[in-house]
Amino acid sequence: MSYTISILRRAQKELAQLPSGAYERVRDAIRALAQAPRPSGCLKLAGREGWRIRIGNYRVVYEIDDKRRVVTILHVAHRRDVYR
């Protein structure tokens, strides 16, 4: 069963500002989270709620609600900026 993807307005703006090549890779990775919300290489964040996946130099920080089957995208940013 697949999950529903929900993207916060802040994350939508961050995603829209990515360079075109990175945008397409990140978009595809976010879509893949609907089928596998915990893909290989994902990490549970320490010190705060959420999970993280790497797409090159970019990171997607998200939360998973297994009960409602929803993946909520919180942040999409370059690795140097995403955890601030």
Side-chain angles (χ1 to χ4, degrees):
M1 293 188 67
S2 65
Y3 283 65
T4 302
I5 302 292
S6 171
I7 304 177
L8 296 181
R9 164 101 52 227
R10 171 181 58 212
Q12 289 175 359
K13 289 179 181 179
E14 293 168 347
L15 185 60
Q17 293 175 353
L18 295 180
S20 63
Y23 171 83
E24 293 167 358
R25 290 193 320 269
V26 171
R27 180 199 62 204
D28 293 343
I30 289 173
R31 286 182 179 164
L33 291 174
Q35 299 302 318
R38 294 176 185 89
S40 64
C42 74
L43 281 179
K44 177 89 170 90
L45 296 177
R48 73 186 232 194
E49 292 294 317
W51 294 80
R52 183 267 292 167
I53 57 171
R54 264 180 38 181
I55 303 101
N57 285 331
Y58 295 90
R59 305 294 183 262
V60 175
V61 176
Y62 61 99
E63 291 180 341
I64 303 169
D65 183 349
D66 288 315
K67 189 174 184 180
R68 293 179 29 222
R69 303 191 68 76
V70 174
V71 174
T72 304
I73 308 300
L74 305 174
H75 288 288
V76 178
H78 193 275
R79 64 187 180 94
R80 70 175 170 255
D81 301 322
V82 76
Y83 301 110
R84 294 183 187 180

